[in-house]
Amino acid sequence: MAQGNNKKSNVKPASKGIQPARKPAAGRQSVAAARSSSSNNRTQLIIGAVAIAVIGIIIVVGVIFTQRQAAVQGEGYGASTQSVASANADGVVNVIKPGAKPKVTIDIYEDALCPICAQFEKQFGQQINQAVDDGSLAVNYHTLTFLDPNSFTGTYSTRAAAALLCVAQEDGSQPGRYLAFHSAVFNPDTQPEESGTDDLSNDQLAALATSNGASADAATCISTGANVAAAEASATTSTATLSAATNGRVATPTVVKDGAPVPELTADWLSNLLSQS
Amino acid sequence: MAVAASTRGDAIRDMLGLVARLGLATVWFISGIAKALDPRTTLVAVQAYQLFPDSVAELLAAVLPYFEIALGLLLTIGLATRLSAVLSAVLLVAFIAGVISAAARGLSIDCGCFGGGGDVRSDETAYTAEILRDLGFLLLAGYLVARPSTPLSIDRWAQRRSGGPAQADASAGSQQPA
């Protein structure tokens, strides 16, 4: 019975629902059009809102990902205290903790004018200092000079490479000296801009070395440009070594381990190398 | 609704719209992904324009690749095509302005449009080609701003869906008395 009542009461709204159909045809169409256009407007709003939300979510996720990728490694470690440096006959500078037998040896190819090298130093410099200091890493620094033409004087890359060589030769046995000057040369705030309006003279490079603990002998070597020819020769040799390891691709910074380039210098490339060995 | 829209002209315009939409989507995907994969280079590329202080350049370099990828995604699925096309056009105009200002200031840089970028040797700059290419992309965006409704898009699907029930109601209403 109750069900029957329910059914009856259900019929009434239905019969009311027919009433609009008795209105003139024109009125009915305009109602339909109005409903359709308001529904379309709502759809447009929803689509716009969803689109903006999609853009927002992708950007937020992306920025977080980027920041993790750009995170400074070994943050807070600071300068190297244990490393010594020595230049070989080809002008390649070997950096190692005295007496240590590092599990990992890498070759780093850089150009003193290369802005990405400065970013690389900023992100991984302290981590490299730490790994060298604890004896697990040795680094061979190759300083290339192919960006010379992009420097204000046309010779900055070579002169900076010569300055690095001076500090390695004169002060390499003093713990941390070479890496301290290396960090200063590749400091994004010190590094001259490519195609800029100035760069550093030999005297300015010498002053930079002195303020980072270099000896008077090293400063003289830098300001007189004593190693410029040696740096040029070293860059030529190292360019050939790099080219052989990378099938001819000469770009900086490049890290080479066991004769092959480290493919992606992601945030954890060095931690991975150190933990794998 | 406009069922009779399947004239030849409409079919051609539909096809052009689809090509423009997917073409522009491809451009954003390629350029966005290349930038996202190498954030260090992207930052250097943005800084090479020397238009922004470092903090702004860092934010821009982090946001830009993913903004481009988002535009690529929206255009691929055809969601909010007109909005995506307007944003694309704004971004392209900004890129063109950036390249023109780099050329005017005598900077020697690569635009970094598809990743890479930064400083290059002065005989390797390609400002004119970069601007012409961006103008081509701008044309695609402009077409979609003018005619955002394209086949195989969520926009058109949603439009039909929201238009559909209202019409069904009206026809149901007229049938009931009979």
Side-chain angles (χ1 to χ4, degrees), chain B residues 15-81:
Chain B
M15 200 41 85
L16 278 177
L18 185 63
V19 168
R21 203 186 85 215
L22 295 181
L24 198 54
T26 310
V27 168
W28 287 137
F29 268 133
I30 293 176
S31 96
I33 289 172
K35 288 188 183 91
L37 286 180
D38 197 348
R40 230 179 340 261
T41 309
T42 302
L43 175 58
V44 170
V46 173
Q47 285 171 336
Y49 282 91
Q50 300 172 24
L51 286 171
F52 311 100
D54 273 1
S55 54
V56 178
E58 275 172 34
L59 183 69
L60 201 62
V63 167
L64 192 57
Y66 297 96
F67 186 49
E68 291 181 10
I69 290 171
L71 288 179
L73 179 71
L74 293 178
L75 287 166
T76 301
I77 61 178
L79 181 72
T81 305

Side-chain angles (χ1 to χ4, degrees), chain A residues 216-237:
Chain A
D217 284 349
T220 307
C221 170
I222 297 170
S223 55
T224 57
N227 269 334
V228 164
E232 266 171 25
S234 170
T236 306
T237 319

Side-chain angles (χ1 to χ4, degrees), chain A residues 21 35 39-40 43 123 194 265, chain B residues 40 66 80 119 162 169 173 176:
Chain A
R35 279 166 83 178
S39 159
N40 258 335
T43 308
Q123 187 174 7
E194 282 187 277
L265 297 175
Chain B
R40 230 179 340 261
Y66 297 96
D119 297 276
S162 70
D169 264 3
Q176 271 187 5

Side-chain angles (χ1 to χ4, degrees), chain B residues 134-171:
Chain B
D134 283 354
L135 283 175
F137 298 154
L138 196 56
L139 214 60
L140 297 183
Y143 184 91
L144 289 171
V145 173
R147 197 174 178 286
S149 176
T150 53
L152 304 176
S153 67
I154 291 187
D155 284 344
R156 190 171 279 187
W157 172 80
Q159 203 178 5
R160 292 224 167 114
R161 205 163 169 272
S162 70
Q167 202 192 11
D169 264 3
S171 62

Side-chain angles (χ1 to χ4, degrees), chain B residues 1-7 167:
Chain B
M1 293 270 287
V3 184
S6 57
T7 65
Q167 202 192 11

Side-chain angles (χ1 to χ4, degrees), chain A residues 26-235:
Chain A
R28 215 168 60 224
Q29 271 173 6
S30 74
V31 168
R35 279 166 83 178
S36 168
S37 102
S38 80
S39 159
N40 258 335
N41 282 342
R42 209 181 63 222
T43 308
Q44 291 302 318
L45 273 179
I46 292 171
I47 284 179
V50 171
I52 287 167
V54 167
I55 293 175
I57 290 168
I58 291 178
I59 287 178
V60 168
V61 170
V63 167
I64 291 171
F65 176 75
T66 305
Q67 277 176 348
R68 283 176 57 178
Q69 279 301 95
V72 173
Q73 304 296 304
E75 177 86 292
Y77 182 78
S80 164
T81 54
Q82 309 286 314
S83 65
V84 295
S86 57
N88 73 8
D90 286 332
V92 178
V93 177
N94 174 264
V95 176
I96 192 169
K97 180 186 182 183
K101 295 216 166 10
K103 301 174 291 182
V104 179
T105 300
I106 55 175
D107 288 69
I108 298 181
Y109 293 81
E110 303 173 305
D111 185 304
L113 195 63
C114 145
I116 305 177
C117 302
Q119 295 297 327
F120 178 85
E121 173 67 26
K122 187 181 173 187
Q123 187 174 7
F124 301 109
Q126 297 182 71
Q127 189 184 21
I128 290 172
N129 292 347
Q130 186 172 20
V132 171
D133 282 359
D134 68 25
S136 51
L137 178 72
V139 183
N140 297 315
Y141 283 102
H142 302 251
T143 316
L144 306 187
T145 59
F146 69 98
L147 288 177
D148 263 341
N150 293 14
S151 67
F152 177 69
T153 56
T155 55
Y156 177 76
S157 295
T158 304
R159 291 185 294 103
L164 285 161
L165 205 49
C166 286
V167 172
Q169 287 168 349
E170 303 294 337
D171 299 342
S173 58
Q174 304 294 311
R177 284 286 161 77
Y178 177 80
L179 283 182
F181 182 52
H182 177 271
S183 295
V185 169
F186 285 97
N187 183 332
D189 299 329
T190 321
Q191 189 185 47
E193 277 177 8
E194 282 187 277
S195 320
T197 51
D198 61 350
D199 55 25
L200 301 179
S201 67
N202 282 344
D203 284 341
Q204 286 171 312
L205 282 167
L208 184 64
T210 306
S211 69
N212 282 281
S215 65
D217 284 349
T220 307
C221 170
I222 297 170
S223 55
T224 57
N227 269 334
V228 164
E232 266 171 25
S234 170

